């Protein structure tokens, strides 16, 4: 059942109205007034049933989700800061200053699952609507990056040790008596597997890695023998991941790099400081003149950049059309996207040989100099928003985290624009004052 914020028009003797505490010209107050909360509530209202306990009001939880992405907070920290910040409380629709936690942080997980990718695309469209020129902009810029997953650096020894530990936990949970748990042995073998690149330790480390794999297979086979058939069928997907992690070689395709996040891919982007990144590939579509992000699309594995164009431009079209916009007519990209010249009516512009005319050379030079502006945009997404390290679980977590980063970027851009307008207004007032009294 959908919960709603009831407007309290009566004065409360023991509570203070937020409008008496805060500056109504504050940029966050103005941003809250620009967002269409009624449209957001009517969009998400159909996702709730008519019966049951009332949920958290949509403006409250959606507003806190937007604040979380704008200011790069976690699910827990945004709830803690909300209690201390009167402007954040006004942004989420409160009338009086609150001193208690609005809801449990785990509600963010349920809300993200409830609205899904379609709901987050709607929120991205609402963030685009705050920039009127962005929805009809003809030319966009496209680039790809890696959304890293919050996992440890994978090695064969660590994966084998984790398989052994997990199998021991499953045996204890299901009441299976093992011949040997290998707790102390696997711990010592993991120590011996360290620093295998050193010539004096190379042979010992190699033998330790092989022994860990052997023990892992032995423990896994024992579980498969001793578990009852009705229980074993529930563990088949997990055991197949464990077996693949223990048997994969250097040349194996689609390797397992994390047992709890098996979909993670190893992606090389040619960086000197970080040769490989473990996560998922993300394509970003950004307006050339406005700089507004209209698509942040997550892809499985490590596809070629040219294979990401169709899906990312389709998402950009859906987002822009949801707020009355149009599909972009041109998309400028780097040479990593070579191979495709047009995607469903959108012309793909790539750096090529010099144009025959001098005017054509100047236009191309300016276009691809401007295209480089997407690089710092991606850097902001990673450093100031949540794209740098993804803490959300599974494939759905990858999709949600990428879209939320784009939403936070657009909202923060609009917030900064409002701040600049306020500063310009103050400068004008100050000049008038000085002219009048000088």
């Amino acid at each position: 059942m959908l919960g709603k914020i009831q407007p309290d028009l009566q004065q409360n003797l023991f509570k203070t109205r937020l409008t008496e505490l805060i500056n109504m010209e504050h940029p966050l107050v103005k941003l809250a007034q620009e967002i269409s909360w009624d449209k957001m509530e009517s969009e998400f209202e159909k996702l709730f049933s008519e019966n049951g306990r009332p949920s958290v009001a949509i403006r409250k939880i959606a507003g806190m989700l937007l604040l979380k992405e704008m200011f790069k907070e976690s699910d827990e920290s945004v709830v803690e800061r909300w209690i201390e910040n009167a402007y954040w409380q006004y942004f989420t629709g409160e009338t009086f200053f609150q001193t208690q936690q609005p809801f449990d942080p785990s509600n963010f997980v349920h809300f993200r699952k409830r609205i899904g990718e379609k709901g987050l695309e709607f929120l991205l469209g609402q963030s685009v609507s705050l920039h009127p020129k962005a929805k009809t902009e003809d030319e966009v810029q496209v680039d790809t990056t890696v959304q890293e997953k919050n996992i440890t650096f994978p090695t064969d020894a660590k994966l084998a040790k984790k398989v052994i530990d997990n199998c021991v936990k499953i045996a204890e949970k299901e009441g299976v008596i093992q011949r040997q748990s290998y707790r102390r042995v696997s711990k010592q073998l993991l120590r011996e597997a360290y620093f295998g690149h050193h010539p004096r330790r190379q042979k010992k480390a190699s033998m330790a890695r092989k022994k860990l794999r052997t023990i892992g297979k032995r423990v896994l086979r024992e579980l498969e023998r001793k578990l009852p058939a009705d229980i074993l069928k529930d563990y088949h997907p997990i055991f197949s991941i464990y077996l693949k992690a223990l048997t994969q070689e250097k040349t194996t395709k689609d390797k397992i790099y994390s047992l709890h996040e098996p979909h993670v891919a190893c992606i090389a982007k040619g960086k000197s400081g970080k040769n490989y990144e473990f996560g998922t590939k993300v394509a970003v579509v950004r307006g050339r003149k406005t700089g507004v992000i209209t698509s942040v699309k997550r892809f499985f594995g490590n596809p070629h950049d040219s294979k990401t164009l169709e899906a990312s431009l389709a998402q950009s079209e859906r987002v822009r059309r949801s707020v009355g916009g149009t599909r972009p007519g041109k998309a400028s990209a780097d040479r990593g996207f070579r191979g495709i010249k047009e995607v469903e009516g959108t012309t793909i512009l790539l750096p090529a040989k010099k144009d025959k005319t001098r005017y054509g050379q100047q236009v191309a030079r300016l276009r691809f100099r401007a295209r480089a502006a997407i690089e710092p945009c991606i850097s902001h997404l990673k450093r100031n928003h949540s794209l740098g390290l993804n803490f959300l679980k599974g494939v759905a977590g990858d999709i949600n985290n990428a879209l939320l980063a784009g939403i936070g970027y657009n909202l923060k851009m609009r917030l900064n624009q409002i701040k600049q307008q306020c500063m310009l207004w103050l400068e004008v007032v100050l000049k008038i004052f000085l002219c009048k009294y000088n």
Side-chain angles (χ1 to χ4, degrees):
M1 183 177 176
L2 178 62
K4 295 188 177 183
I5 298 176
Q6 298 297 333
D8 198 344
L9 302 177
Q10 295 183 351
Q11 186 66 27
N12 192 318
L13 183 63
F14 303 102
K15 291 183 179 180
T16 308
R17 284 189 177 273
L18 289 171
T19 53
E20 298 174 3
L21 284 175
I22 63 177
N23 174 19
M24 296 304 291
E25 297 298 319
H26 190 276
L28 202 58
V29 174
K30 292 188 174 183
L31 181 63
Q33 293 167 355
E34 290 183 3
I35 296 174
S36 179
W37 300 106
D38 293 336
K39 189 174 181 181
M40 192 181 298
E41 186 169 333
S42 63
E43 177 70 20
F44 296 146
E45 189 175 10
K46 56 192 176 185
L47 302 175
F48 295 82
S49 64
E50 296 181 359
N51 302 318
R53 181 182 175 184
S55 67
V56 181
I58 285 178
R59 175 164 182 180
K60 184 179 289 186
I61 192 167
M64 289 185 70
L65 189 65
L66 299 181
L67 289 169
K68 171 184 175 295
E69 295 305 321
M70 276 194 286
F71 299 101
K72 198 184 177 181
E73 299 288 337
S74 65
D75 290 352
E76 293 77 15
S77 64
V78 72
V79 174
E80 292 173 2
R81 285 192 62 186
W82 183 88
I83 303 172
E84 306 166 357
N85 197 319
Y87 289 100
W88 285 21
Q89 293 186 16
Y90 180 86
F91 187 84
T92 55
E94 293 293 341
T95 305
F96 295 100
F97 185 75
Q98 304 295 320
T99 57
Q100 293 183 347
Q101 185 172 295
F103 52 81
D104 192 84
S106 62
N107 281 336
F108 282 118
V109 181
H110 304 307
F111 184 69
R112 285 191 293 259
K113 286 182 179 179
R114 186 185 292 271
I115 64 176
E117 184 179 4
K118 186 178 178 181
L120 290 172
E121 285 185 3
F122 170 79
L123 289 178
L124 182 61
Q126 293 303 299
S127 70
V128 172
S129 67
L130 300 175
H131 309 267
K133 294 182 180 178
K135 60 186 179 182
T136 56
E137 194 169 5
D138 185 57
E139 186 173 340
V140 295
Q141 299 164 348
V142 189
D143 202 2
T144 60
T145 186
V146 180
Q147 178 181 233
E148 288 190 82
K149 201 75 171 180
N150 185 36
I151 62 169
T152 182
F153 189 87
T155 62
D156 292 338
K158 282 197 287 187
L159 285 172
K161 174 69 166 58
K162 193 70 176 177
V163 169
I164 295 167
D165 293 344
N166 289 357
C167 287
V168 171
K169 289 178 183 177
I170 292 171
E172 291 176 353
K173 178 183 175 182
E174 302 297 343
V176 175
I177 300 173
Q178 293 179 293
R179 290 183 298 178
Q180 186 177 347
S181 65
Y182 298 98
R183 289 183 188 273
R184 294 174 63 188
V185 176
S186 61
K187 194 173 182 179
Q188 181 59 34
L189 287 171
L190 183 62
R191 290 194 194 101
E192 293 175 3
Y194 289 154
F195 306 109
H197 58 277
H198 195 280
R200 292 185 179 180
R201 292 187 51 83
Q202 191 172 7
K203 185 175 179 181
K204 190 175 184 179
S206 178
M207 293 299 293
R209 286 195 295 270
K210 289 180 182 178
K211 186 65 176 175
L212 277 170
R213 284 187 167 197
T214 302
I215 292 172
K217 294 173 189 175
R218 186 181 302 160
V219 174
L220 192 60
R221 287 195 301 270
E222 185 181 12
L223 272 182
E224 290 176 342
R225 286 197 310 271
K226 294 184 176 180
L227 281 174
D230 56 335
I231 298 176
L232 181 61
K233 64 181 181 181
D234 297 331
Y235 286 104
H236 273 313
I238 300 173
F239 286 173
S240 63
I241 293 171
Y242 290 172
L243 184 61
K244 188 174 181 180
L246 292 169
T247 56
Q248 63 190 5
E249 299 294 338
K250 188 175 181 179
T251 57
T252 304
K253 298 286 186 181
D254 300 326
K255 293 182 185 176
I256 301 293
Y257 297 101
S258 174
L259 298 181
H260 67 283
E261 296 286 353
H263 60 278
V264 166
C266 177
I267 302 173
K269 295 291 285 184
K271 298 178 182 177
S272 57
K274 189 183 289 185
N275 293 332
Y276 301 98
E277 293 174 300
F278 299 93
T280 54
K281 181 170 277 193
V282 170
V284 179
V285 179
R286 170 187 181 272
R288 178 186 174 183
K289 293 183 178 179
T290 60
V292 176
I293 292 174
T294 56
S295 172
V296 191
K297 184 70 176 176
R298 178 259 185 199
F299 294 91
F300 183 79
N302 185 17
H304 189 266
D305 287 354
S306 62
K307 305 296 182 184
T308 66
L309 279 170
E310 185 175 355
S312 56
L313 289 173
Q315 186 185 66
S316 177
E317 182 182 9
R318 289 196 302 272
V319 169
R320 288 163 59 135
R321 287 192 186 280
S322 68
V323 290
T326 58
R327 183 183 175 91
K330 301 175 184 176
S332 56
D334 58 18
R335 288 188 177 89
F337 291 83
R338 60 186 177 274
I340 296 182
K341 295 182 178 180
E342 186 177 347
V343 177
E344 296 183 5
T346 302
T347 305
I348 309 302
L349 306 172
L350 301 173
K353 295 181 180 179
K354 289 186 178 181
D355 199 278
K356 294 181 179 180
T357 64
R358 187 175 182 83
Y359 175 74
Q361 294 174 11
Q362 291 175 347
V363 169
R365 188 180 297 113
L366 290 173
R367 170 173 285 120
F368 293 109
R369 280 183 179 176
R371 194 218 65 84
I374 198 172
E375 301 295 346
C377 168
I378 291 172
S379 180
H380 281 297
L381 283 171
K382 290 193 169 189
R383 190 171 293 274
N384 301 329
H385 301 283
S386 55
L387 198 67
L389 194 61
N390 180 18
F391 292 90
L392 304 184
K393 187 179 179 182
V395 176
D398 294 337
I399 296 169
N400 295 350
N401 191 72
L403 284 166
L404 285 168
I407 294 165
Y409 180 90
N410 290 343
L411 290 173
K412 193 69 178 289
M413 180 189 288
R414 180 57 191 155
L415 187 67
N416 291 336
Q417 289 174 357
I418 295 172
K419 287 179 182 178
Q420 290 176 359
Q421 291 170 4
C422 291
M423 292 301 296
L424 290 172
W425 181 80
L426 286 173
E427 288 179 6
V428 171
V429 171
L430 184 60
K431 285 180 181 179
I432 294 172
F433 179 81
L434 293 174
C435 292
K436 186 176 181 180
Y437 291 97
N438 284 343

